[in-house]
Amino acid sequence: MERSETITRANMTNVGDFIFLGFSDQSDFQGFLFGIFLVIYMSIIIGNGLIILMTKFDPGLRTPMYFFLGNFSFLEICYTSVTLPRMLKDFWTQNKHISLLSCAVQMCFFLILGVTECLLLAVMSYDRYVAICKPLYYPLIMNHKTCVQLVVGAWISGMPIQIGQVCQVFSLPFCDSNRLDHVFCDIPPLLKLACGDTSLNEILVYADAFLFGMVPFLLILNSYIRIITTIMKLPSTMGRSKAFSTCSSHLTVVGLFFMSASISYFQPKSSQSTGAGKVLSLFYTIVTPMFNPVIYSLRNKDVIMAMRKLWP
């Protein structure tokens, strides 16, 4: 028994760190990639930061919808900051090693914030449902206390399960290779390096993705089916147009995020492409947060007016 435990511990310590392969096949373009990702990161911080400032200080944007939008923008900055600074450092130094502890911490924050994004998108869709389908009760239902409780719930609901997921993954022995063919620490590429039986872990990944990904998406879908049904009953064409315009930006963000993330996590292991997985992961972790401020600003007159106040 003792000998078996010693062997297991030895296997687990064979890998002391991981090496991100990332875009190492594009060795001649590392400087170019650093510049591109730096511009993307700065645009994410500036764009989402402006939305936070506007929703915080503009009196016209002190409504539940913009309260949620400000929290969502803050979340996007946190979400990208888990992965992008590390990627920029790897591009700049060409040192792509990451310790097991750093990898576990990165993955833990990445999963927690990813779950928060799914839940917060569901909360935002519920807000639009109440505003359009129950406008007379909107101030009563979506009072400040309820809004704060919904946001706090979105932030903390997934923490225990995601921490447990990380502990499960890093309890596996990594003894075959430390070359992680990805751009950050995520569960699917790490499971490929584990030399033990990962079937239970894969089931847990699917269950987690269903609980915190598919269920919020179905709730969003249900909200928008009811919203669209209500909008179609409006007598005024102008009223329908205004209602659609307030929902279209949120629907666009939901579609971009959930489609790329669901393909990445629900794709069967046998048909997974490493290259496609990396591109998809960049899409829902970097590209979507970069376009969110633009998407929410283009068809939103209140946000455009608030921007004009910042730059008179």
Side-chain angles (χ1 to χ4, degrees):
M1 181 72 178
E2 291 180 3
R3 187 167 178 266
S4 173
E5 290 178 356
T6 304
I7 292 171
T8 302
R9 285 196 296 270
N11 282 340
M12 291 177 68
T13 55
N14 277 348
V15 173
D17 61 3
F18 295 110
I19 302 172
F20 289 123
L21 296 184
F23 301 103
S24 55
D25 55 335
Q26 307 290 334
S27 56
D28 296 334
F29 297 97
Q30 297 298 298
F32 175 74
L33 290 172
F34 173 83
I36 292 293
F37 283 103
L38 179 62
V39 170
I40 290 173
Y41 187 46
M42 294 305 296
S43 66
I44 289 170
I45 292 175
I46 293 170
N48 287 285
L50 284 173
I51 288 182
I52 294 170
L53 289 174
M54 287 186 293
T55 56
K56 185 72 176 176
F57 297 109
D58 193 296
L61 300 183
R62 289 176 185 171
T63 63
M65 181 175 77
Y66 295 109
F67 173 74
F68 294 133
L69 181 57
N71 276 274
F72 187 71
S73 294
F74 175 70
L75 171 64
E76 294 291 57
I77 293 174
C78 296
Y79 189 48
T80 52
S81 295
V82 172
T83 56
L84 254 178
R86 177 81 203 194
M87 290 170 60
L88 290 170
K89 177 250 180 191
D90 292 344
F91 285 132
W92 183 257
T93 64
Q94 297 295 301
N95 179 12
K96 302 187 178 183
H97 289 257
I98 184 170
S99 67
L100 258 70
L101 178 60
S102 297
C103 188
V105 171
Q106 185 189 58
M107 189 168 78
C108 188
F109 278 104
F110 172 73
L111 293 176
I112 289 171
L113 294 174
V115 166
T116 303
E117 179 145 355
C118 293
L119 296 176
L120 198 51
L121 285 170
V123 167
M124 292 169 76
S125 70
Y126 175 70
D127 171 71
R128 291 299 82 209
Y129 159 72
V130 177
I132 293 172
C133 300
K134 300 181 179 181
L136 297 178
Y137 297 99
Y138 184 69
L140 295 175
I141 297 174
M142 301 305 292
N143 58 68
H144 182 68
K145 182 180 178 181
T146 301
C147 292
V148 171
Q149 289 174 340
L150 288 170
V151 168
V152 171
W155 276 91
I156 67 174
S157 294
M159 284 185 181
I161 294 178
Q162 302 316 311
I163 292 171
Q165 278 270 43
V166 173
C167 292
Q168 282 278 347
V169 171
F170 281 88
S171 66
L172 293 168
F174 299 101
C175 52
D176 285 343
S177 172
N178 69 337
R179 298 169 68 82
L180 188 63
D181 196 6
H182 208 56
V183 290
F184 57 86
C185 291
D186 198 4
I187 295 179
L190 277 167
L191 290 182
K192 291 181 180 179
L193 297 183
C195 58
D197 182 14
T198 62
S199 56
L200 175 60
N201 297 87
E202 289 169 21
I203 292 171
L204 291 174
V205 169
Y206 287 125
D208 187 43
F210 180 82
L211 178 62
F212 292 109
M214 188 58 67
V215 171
F217 178 74
L218 292 174
L219 291 173
I220 292 169
L221 193 63
N222 178 60
S223 294
Y224 275 101
I225 288 172
R226 296 188 179 196
I227 288 170
I228 291 169
T229 303
T230 302
I231 290 174
M232 296 308 293
K233 293 178 182 178
L234 293 175
S236 167
T237 305
M238 185 177 294
R240 287 198 295 268
S241 177
K242 185 177 179 181
F244 272 122
S245 68
T246 60
C247 298
S248 59
S249 55
H250 185 247
L251 269 176
T252 304
V253 172
V254 167
L256 289 172
F257 178 79
F258 278 99
M259 282 180 63
S260 55
S262 61
I263 292 171
S264 181
Y265 277 87
F266 285 108
Q267 188 180 17
K269 190 177 180 180
S270 58
S271 61
Q272 283 178 354
S273 167
T274 304
K278 282 187 273 192
V279 172
L280 282 170
S281 66
L282 289 177
F283 200 86
Y284 64 81
T285 58
I286 296 173
V287 176
T288 305
M290 180 179 66
F291 284 114
N292 279 351
V294 178
I295 293 169
Y296 279 111
S297 302
L298 280 178
R299 300 190 65 185
N300 193 312
K301 293 179 181 178
D302 294 332
V303 174
I304 292 171
M305 287 181 66
M307 282 185 175
R308 286 174 179 169
K309 290 178 185 178
L310 287 176
W311 292 286

Coordinates of all heavy atoms in Angstrom, one line a residue, residues 239-291:
G239 N -42.6 51.5 -31.2 CA -42.4 50.8 -30.0 C -41.7 49.5 -30.1 O -40.8 49.2 -29.3
R240 N -42.1 48.8 -31.2 CA -41.4 47.5 -31.5 C -40.0 47.7 -31.8 O -39.1 47.0 -31.3 CB -42.1 46.8 -32.6 CG -43.5 46.2 -32.2 CD -43.9 45.1 -33.2 NE -44.2 45.7 -34.5 CZ -45.3 46.2 -35.0 NH1 -46.4 46.2 -34.2 NH2 -45.5 46.7 -36.2
S241 N -39.7 48.7 -32.6 CA -38.3 49.0 -33.0 C -37.5 49.4 -31.8 O -36.3 48.9 -31.7 CB -38.3 50.2 -34.0 OG -37.0 50.5 -34.4
K242 N -38.0 50.2 -30.9 CA -37.3 50.6 -29.7 C -37.0 49.4 -28.8 O -35.9 49.3 -28.2 CB -38.0 51.7 -28.9 CG -37.3 52.2 -27.7 CD -38.1 53.4 -27.1 CE -37.3 53.9 -25.8 NZ -38.1 55.0 -25.1
A243 N -38.0 48.6 -28.6 CA -37.8 47.4 -27.8 C -36.8 46.4 -28.3 O -35.9 45.9 -27.6 CB -39.2 46.7 -27.6
F244 N -36.8 46.2 -29.7 CA -35.8 45.3 -30.3 C -34.4 45.9 -30.2 O -33.5 45.2 -30.0 CB -36.2 45.1 -31.8 CG -37.1 44.0 -32.0 CD1 -38.3 44.2 -32.7 CD2 -36.8 42.7 -31.6 CE1 -39.2 43.1 -32.9 CE2 -37.7 41.6 -31.8 CZ -38.9 41.8 -32.5
S245 N -34.3 47.2 -30.3 CA -33.0 47.9 -30.3 C -32.3 47.7 -28.9 O -31.1 47.6 -28.8 CB -33.1 49.3 -30.6 OG -33.7 50.1 -29.6
T246 N -33.1 47.7 -27.8 CA -32.6 47.6 -26.5 C -32.2 46.1 -26.2 O -31.3 45.9 -25.3 CB -33.6 48.0 -25.4 OG1 -34.8 47.2 -25.5 CG2 -34.0 49.4 -25.5
C247 N -32.7 45.2 -26.9 CA -32.4 43.8 -26.7 C -31.4 43.2 -27.7 O -30.7 42.2 -27.4 CB -33.7 42.9 -26.8 SG -34.9 43.3 -25.6
S248 N -31.2 43.8 -28.9 CA -30.4 43.3 -29.9 C -28.9 43.2 -29.5 O -28.2 42.2 -29.8 CB -30.5 44.1 -31.2 OG -30.2 45.4 -31.0
S249 N -28.4 44.2 -28.8 CA -27.0 44.2 -28.4 C -26.7 43.1 -27.4 O -25.7 42.4 -27.6 CB -26.6 45.5 -27.7 OG -27.5 45.8 -26.7
H250 N -27.6 42.9 -26.5 CA -27.5 41.8 -25.5 C -27.5 40.4 -26.2 O -26.8 39.5 -25.9 CB -28.5 41.9 -24.4 CG -28.4 40.8 -23.3 ND1 -29.2 39.8 -23.1 CD2 -27.4 40.7 -22.4 CE1 -28.8 39.1 -22.1 NE2 -27.7 39.6 -21.6
L251 N -28.5 40.3 -27.1 CA -28.6 39.0 -27.9 C -27.3 38.7 -28.7 O -26.9 37.6 -28.8 CB -29.8 39.1 -28.8 CG -31.1 38.5 -28.3 CD1 -32.2 38.8 -29.3 CD2 -31.0 37.1 -27.9
T252 N -26.7 39.8 -29.3 CA -25.5 39.6 -30.0 C -24.4 39.1 -29.2 O -23.6 38.1 -29.5 CB -25.1 40.9 -30.7 OG1 -26.1 41.4 -31.5 CG2 -23.8 40.8 -31.6
V253 N -24.2 39.7 -28.0 CA -23.2 39.2 -27.0 C -23.4 37.8 -26.6 O -22.5 37.0 -26.5 CB -23.1 40.2 -25.8 CG1 -22.2 39.6 -24.8 CG2 -22.7 41.6 -26.3
V254 N -24.7 37.5 -26.3 CA -25.0 36.1 -25.9 C -24.7 35.1 -26.9 O -24.1 34.1 -26.7 CB -26.5 36.0 -25.5 CG1 -27.0 34.6 -25.4 CG2 -26.8 36.8 -24.2
G255 N -25.0 35.4 -28.2 CA -24.7 34.5 -29.3 C -23.3 34.3 -29.5 O -22.8 33.1 -29.6
L256 N -22.5 35.4 -29.5 CA -21.0 35.3 -29.7 C -20.4 34.4 -28.6 O -19.6 33.5 -28.9 CB -20.4 36.6 -29.7 CG -20.7 37.5 -31.0 CD1 -20.1 38.9 -30.8 CD2 -20.1 36.9 -32.2
F257 N -20.7 34.7 -27.3 CA -20.1 34.0 -26.2 C -20.5 32.6 -26.1 O -19.6 31.7 -26.1 CB -20.4 34.8 -24.9 CG -19.8 34.1 -23.7 CD1 -18.5 34.3 -23.4 CD2 -20.6 33.3 -22.9 CE1 -17.9 33.7 -22.3 CE2 -20.0 32.7 -21.7 CZ -18.7 32.9 -21.4
F258 N -21.8 32.3 -26.1 CA -22.3 30.9 -25.9 C -22.0 30.0 -27.0 O -21.7 28.8 -26.8 CB -23.8 30.9 -25.6 CG -24.1 31.2 -24.1 CD1 -24.5 32.5 -23.8 CD2 -24.0 30.3 -23.2 CE1 -24.7 32.8 -22.4 CE2 -24.3 30.6 -21.8 CZ -24.6 31.8 -21.5
M259 N -22.0 30.5 -28.3 CA -21.7 29.7 -29.4 C -20.3 29.2 -29.4 O -20.0 28.0 -29.6 CB -22.0 30.4 -30.7 CG -23.5 30.5 -31.1 SD -23.8 31.3 -32.6 CE -23.0 30.3 -33.8
S260 N -19.3 30.1 -29.2 CA -17.9 29.7 -29.2 C -17.6 28.8 -28.0 O -16.8 27.8 -28.2 CB -17.0 31.0 -29.3 OG -17.3 31.8 -28.2
A261 N -18.1 29.2 -26.8 CA -17.8 28.4 -25.6 C -18.4 27.0 -25.7 O -17.8 26.0 -25.3 CB -18.3 29.2 -24.4
S262 N -19.6 26.9 -26.2 CA -20.3 25.6 -26.2 C -19.6 24.7 -27.2 O -19.5 23.5 -27.0 CB -21.8 25.8 -26.6 OG -21.9 26.4 -27.9
I263 N -19.2 25.2 -28.4 CA -18.4 24.4 -29.3 C -17.2 23.9 -28.7 O -16.8 22.7 -28.9 CB -18.2 25.2 -30.6 CG1 -19.4 25.5 -31.4 CG2 -17.2 24.4 -31.5 CD1 -19.3 26.4 -32.5
S264 N -16.5 24.7 -27.9 CA -15.2 24.3 -27.3 C -15.4 23.3 -26.2 O -14.6 22.3 -26.2 CB -14.6 25.6 -26.7 OG -13.3 25.3 -26.1
Y265 N -16.5 23.4 -25.4 CA -16.6 22.5 -24.3 C -17.5 21.3 -24.5 O -17.3 20.2 -23.9 CB -17.2 23.2 -23.1 CG -16.1 24.0 -22.3 CD1 -15.7 25.3 -22.7 CD2 -15.4 23.4 -21.2 CE1 -14.7 26.0 -22.0 CE2 -14.5 24.1 -20.5 CZ -14.1 25.4 -20.9 OH -13.1 26.0 -20.2
F266 N -18.4 21.4 -25.5 CA -19.3 20.2 -25.7 C -18.9 19.4 -26.9 O -19.5 18.4 -27.2 CB -20.7 20.7 -26.0 CG -21.4 21.1 -24.7 CD1 -21.7 22.5 -24.4 CD2 -21.8 20.2 -23.8 CE1 -22.3 22.8 -23.3 CE2 -22.4 20.5 -22.6 CZ -22.7 21.9 -22.3
Q267 N -17.8 19.8 -27.6 CA -17.3 19.0 -28.7 C -16.7 17.7 -28.3 O -16.0 17.7 -27.3 CB -16.2 19.8 -29.5 CG -15.7 19.2 -30.8 CD -14.6 20.0 -31.4 OE1 -14.0 20.9 -30.8 NE2 -14.4 19.8 -32.7
P268 N -17.1 16.6 -28.9 CA -16.6 15.3 -28.5 C -15.0 15.3 -28.6 O -14.4 15.9 -29.4 CB -17.2 14.3 -29.5 CG -18.4 15.0 -30.1 CD -18.1 16.5 -30.0
K269 N -14.4 14.6 -27.6 CA -13.0 14.6 -27.5 C -12.3 14.0 -28.7 O -11.3 14.4 -29.2 CB -12.6 13.7 -26.3 CG -11.1 13.8 -25.9 CD -10.8 13.1 -24.6 CE -9.3 13.2 -24.3 NZ -9.0 12.4 -23.1
S270 N -13.0 13.0 -29.3 CA -12.4 12.3 -30.5 C -12.3 13.2 -31.7 O -11.5 13.0 -32.6 CB -13.3 11.1 -30.9 OG -14.6 11.5 -31.1
S271 N -13.2 14.2 -31.8 CA -13.2 15.1 -33.0 C -12.6 16.5 -32.7 O -12.8 17.4 -33.5 CB -14.7 15.3 -33.5 OG -15.5 15.9 -32.5
Q272 N -12.0 16.6 -31.5 CA -11.4 17.9 -31.1 C -10.2 18.2 -32.0 O -9.3 17.4 -32.1 CB -11.1 18.0 -29.6 CG -12.3 18.2 -28.7 CD -11.9 18.2 -27.3 OE1 -10.8 17.9 -26.9 NE2 -12.9 18.4 -26.4
S273 N -10.1 19.4 -32.5 CA -8.9 19.9 -33.2 C -8.2 20.9 -32.3 O -8.8 21.9 -31.8 CB -9.4 20.6 -34.5 OG -8.3 21.3 -35.1
T274 N -6.9 20.7 -32.1 CA -6.2 21.6 -31.2 C -6.2 23.0 -31.7 O -6.4 24.0 -31.0 CB -4.7 21.1 -31.1 OG1 -4.8 19.7 -30.6 CG2 -3.9 21.9 -30.1
G275 N -5.9 23.2 -33.0 CA -5.9 24.5 -33.6 C -7.2 25.2 -33.5 O -7.2 26.4 -33.1
A276 N -8.3 24.5 -33.8 CA -9.6 25.1 -33.7 C -10.0 25.4 -32.3 O -10.6 26.5 -32.0 CB -10.7 24.2 -34.3
G277 N -9.5 24.6 -31.4 CA -9.8 24.8 -29.9 C -9.1 26.1 -29.4 O -9.7 26.9 -28.7
K278 N -7.9 26.3 -29.9 CA -7.2 27.5 -29.5 C -7.9 28.8 -30.1 O -8.0 29.8 -29.4 CB -5.7 27.5 -30.0 CG -4.8 26.6 -29.1 CD -3.4 26.7 -29.5 CE -3.0 25.8 -30.6 NZ -1.6 25.6 -30.8
V279 N -8.3 28.7 -31.3 CA -9.0 29.9 -31.9 C -10.3 30.2 -31.2 O -10.6 31.3 -30.9 CB -9.2 29.6 -33.4 CG1 -10.1 30.7 -34.0 CG2 -7.9 29.5 -34.2
L280 N -11.1 29.1 -30.9 CA -12.4 29.3 -30.2 C -12.2 29.9 -28.8 O -12.9 30.7 -28.4 CB -13.1 27.9 -30.2 CG -13.8 27.5 -31.4 CD1 -14.3 26.0 -31.3 CD2 -15.0 28.4 -31.8
S281 N -11.1 29.4 -28.1 CA -10.9 29.9 -26.8 C -10.5 31.3 -26.8 O -10.9 32.1 -25.9 CB -9.8 29.1 -26.1 OG -8.5 29.2 -26.8
L282 N -9.8 31.8 -27.8 CA -9.4 33.2 -28.0 C -10.7 34.0 -28.3 O -10.8 35.1 -27.9 CB -8.4 33.4 -29.1 CG -7.0 32.9 -28.8 CD1 -6.1 33.1 -30.0 CD2 -6.4 33.6 -27.6
F283 N -11.6 33.4 -29.0 CA -12.8 34.1 -29.4 C -13.6 34.5 -28.2 O -14.1 35.6 -28.1 CB -13.6 33.2 -30.4 CG -14.6 34.0 -31.2 CD1 -14.2 34.7 -32.4 CD2 -15.9 34.2 -30.8 CE1 -15.1 35.4 -33.1 CE2 -16.8 34.9 -31.5 CZ -16.4 35.5 -32.7
Y284 N -13.9 33.5 -27.3 CA -14.8 33.8 -26.2 C -14.1 34.4 -25.0 O -14.7 34.9 -24.1 CB -15.6 32.6 -25.8 CG -14.9 31.4 -25.2 CD1 -14.5 31.4 -23.9 CD2 -14.7 30.3 -26.0 CE1 -13.8 30.3 -23.4 CE2 -14.0 29.2 -25.5 CZ -13.6 29.2 -24.2 OH -12.9 28.1 -23.7
T285 N -12.7 34.4 -25.0 CA -12.0 35.0 -23.9 C -11.5 36.4 -24.2 O -11.2 37.2 -23.3 CB -10.8 34.1 -23.4 OG1 -10.0 33.9 -24.5 CG2 -11.3 32.8 -22.9
I286 N -11.3 36.7 -25.5 CA -10.6 37.9 -25.9 C -11.5 38.7 -26.9 O -11.7 39.9 -26.7 CB -9.2 37.6 -26.5 CG1 -8.3 37.0 -25.4 CG2 -8.6 38.9 -27.1 CD1 -7.0 36.6 -26.0
V287 N -11.9 38.1 -28.0 CA -12.6 38.8 -29.1 C -13.9 39.4 -28.6 O -14.2 40.5 -28.8 CB -12.8 37.9 -30.3 CG1 -13.6 38.6 -31.4 CG2 -11.4 37.5 -30.9
T288 N -14.7 38.5 -27.9 CA -16.0 39.0 -27.4 C -15.9 40.1 -26.4 O -16.6 41.1 -26.6 CB -16.8 37.8 -26.8 OG1 -16.9 36.7 -27.8 CG2 -18.2 38.2 -26.4
P289 N -15.0 40.1 -25.4 CA -14.9 41.2 -24.5 C -14.4 42.5 -25.2 O -14.7 43.6 -24.8 CB -13.8 40.8 -23.5 CG -13.9 39.3 -23.5 CD -14.3 38.9 -24.9
M290 N -13.6 42.3 -26.3 CA -13.2 43.5 -27.1 C -14.3 44.2 -27.8 O -14.4 45.4 -27.8 CB -12.1 43.1 -28.1 CG -11.5 44.2 -28.9 SD -10.3 43.7 -30.1 CE -11.2 42.7 -31.2
F291 N -15.2 43.4 -28.3 CA -16.3 44.0 -29.1 C -17.5 44.4 -28.2 O -18.4 45.1 -28.7 CB -16.8 43.0 -30.2 CG -15.9 43.0 -31.4 CD1 -15.1 41.9 -31.7 CD2 -15.7 44.1 -32.2 CE1 -14.3 41.8 -32.8 CE2 -14.8 44.1 -33.3 CZ -14.1 43.0 -33.5

